[in-house]
């Protein structure tokens, strides 16, 4: 008797079969549940789950209360205003070189809006940060406008020390400053020893500085300064593979 040839399954059928097999593995406990961050096809791209910050799953909150909002289908994390700096550290993710992108919202209240990203983090006192002063975005005087974006390296190189000893080097004006009360996109490129900061897709950086620390790795965190609240969404971390980055 002549054997009948089996027709190959369609791509859709293969996809359904794979999904059923994966579901069986999950039910059997053989697949690890999704963690606090999702990695894309490129293993060096991480999109942290901001919805986990209030519960402390994979995050450690510092000196702030946290609430969640939703914006265009994305989770927004909101830190309240308190004396002293604060924010949230992303646990179990080491960052050396690469790019950090995030949407940030501050407010137009003088001396009450300092919002940004911490990196090279060792503890709550030892870290580098790039942050913004939205209350200066629409300032009338040139001096305040020159303080739009700032780099610091704590604990030694605070904004006060850097402004006193290196005026105009570690802070700068944004050519096309955002609305101080709306979300804006920040992209921070870290390729030791250089840091470049871009705002809202600008081709030219708003700030270019040389790092002031010998540390090569460390944690990443969402950062708010003394007396400041702040909102963050769409955090994406792209870690360079070994050997990547500018030569």
């Amino acid at each position: 008797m002549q054997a009948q040839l089996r027709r190959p399954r369609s791509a859709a059928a293969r996809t359904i079969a794979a999904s059923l097999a994966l579901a069986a593995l999950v039910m059997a406990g053989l697949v690890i549940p999704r963690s606090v961050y999702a990695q894309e096809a490129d293993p060096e791209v991480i999109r942290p789950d901001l919805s986990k910050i209030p519960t402390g799953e994979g995050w450690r909150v510092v000196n702030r209360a946290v609430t969640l909002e939703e914006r265009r289908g994305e989770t927004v994390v909101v830190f309240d205003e308190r004396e002293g700096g604060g924010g949230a550290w992303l646990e179990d993710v080491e960052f050396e070189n690469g790019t950090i992108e995030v949407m940030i919202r501050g407010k137009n209240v003088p001396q009450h809006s300092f919002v940004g990203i911490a990196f090279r983090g060792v503890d709550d006192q030892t870290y580098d940060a790039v942050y913004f002063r939205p209350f200066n975005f629409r300032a009338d005087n040139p001096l305040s406008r020159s303080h739009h974006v700032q780099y610091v390296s704590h604990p030694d190189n605070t904004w006060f020390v850097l402004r006193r000893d290196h005026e105009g080097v570690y802070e700068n004006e944004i050519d096309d400053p955002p609305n101080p009360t709306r979300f804006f996109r920040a992209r921070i490129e870290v390729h030791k020893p250089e840091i470049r900061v871009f705002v809202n897709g600008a081709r030219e950086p708003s700030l270019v500085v040389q790092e002031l620390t010998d540390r090569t790795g460390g944690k990443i965190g969402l950062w708010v300064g003394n007396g400041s609240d702040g909102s963050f969404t769409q955090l994406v971390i792209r870690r360079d593979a070994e050997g990547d980055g500018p030569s």
Side-chain angles (χ1 to χ4, degrees):
M1 186 167 115
Q2 186 177 7
Q4 292 185 344
L5 296 177
R6 295 182 60 187
R7 298 180 60 185
R9 289 187 297 178
S10 67
R14 291 195 299 271
T15 300
I16 293 172
S19 299
L20 291 173
L22 178 59
L25 290 173
V26 172
M27 292 180 65
L30 299 177
V31 173
I32 299 173
R34 185 175 180 177
S35 64
V36 68
Y37 58 85
Q39 292 186 322
E40 297 180 346
D42 180 349
E44 301 302 325
V45 179
I46 302 171
R47 297 180 181 273
D49 187 349
L50 302 184
S51 71
K52 303 291 187 181
I53 293 179
T55 61
E57 297 177 65
W59 294 85
R60 184 171 63 83
V61 178
V62 180
N63 191 36
R64 287 296 186 273
V66 183
T67 56
L68 298 179
E69 299 176 356
E70 186 174 303
R71 175 181 180 268
R72 299 175 183 174
E74 297 281 352
T75 298
V76 177
V77 59
V78 181
F79 298 102
D80 71 349
E81 175 183 324
R82 298 189 183 195
E83 184 176 350
W89 290 109
L90 177 61
E91 303 280 37
D92 303 322
V93 173
E94 184 78 6
F95 179 83
E96 184 170 345
N97 290 311
T99 302
I100 306 165
E101 289 192 69
V102 66
M103 296 287 288
I104 303 175
R105 180 178 62 196
K107 61 185 180 183
N108 194 17
V109 179
Q111 305 306 318
H112 285 276
S113 190
F114 308 97
V115 285
I117 293 290
F119 52 97
R120 303 273 187 252
V122 176
D123 53 39
D124 298 346
Q125 289 76 43
T126 307
Y127 57 86
D128 287 13
V130 168
Y131 69 91
F132 302 86
R133 301 181 178 96
F135 59 84
N136 280 332
F137 285 174
R138 298 294 170 87
D140 294 329
N141 66 86
L143 181 61
S144 293
R145 290 199 300 271
S146 70
H147 300 161
H148 284 167
V149 55
Q150 172 88 50
Y151 163 80
V152 293
S153 184
H154 287 188
D156 297 326
N157 293 293
T158 64
W159 72 268
F160 179 82
V161 170
L162 294 178
R163 189 177 295 177
R164 181 194 65 195
D165 298 343
H166 307 281
E167 185 176 1
V169 175
Y170 295 99
E171 57 188 331
N172 198 26
E173 180 177 355
I174 300 170
D175 285 341
D176 185 15
N179 185 311
T181 63
R182 295 182 180 177
F183 275 100
F184 64 93
R185 183 173 298 279
R187 186 172 89 251
I188 303 168
E189 297 181 353
V190 181
H191 296 110
K192 197 170 186 66
E194 187 174 80
I195 298 171
R196 293 156 58 90
V197 183
F198 299 81
V199 175
N200 280 345
R203 292 188 175 184
E204 296 299 321
S206 298
L207 182 68
V208 180
V209 298
Q210 301 296 300
E211 285 188 62
L212 294 174
T213 178
D214 294 331
R215 297 187 301 277
T216 57
K219 296 181 180 181
I220 287 177
L222 306 176
W223 184 92
V224 290
N226 179 45
S228 174
D229 55 8
S231 303
F232 301 81
T233 187
Q234 298 180 32
L235 175 63
V236 180
I237 301 165
R238 293 179 172 87
R239 297 187 296 193
D240 285 351
E242 187 174 353
D244 285 356
S247 59

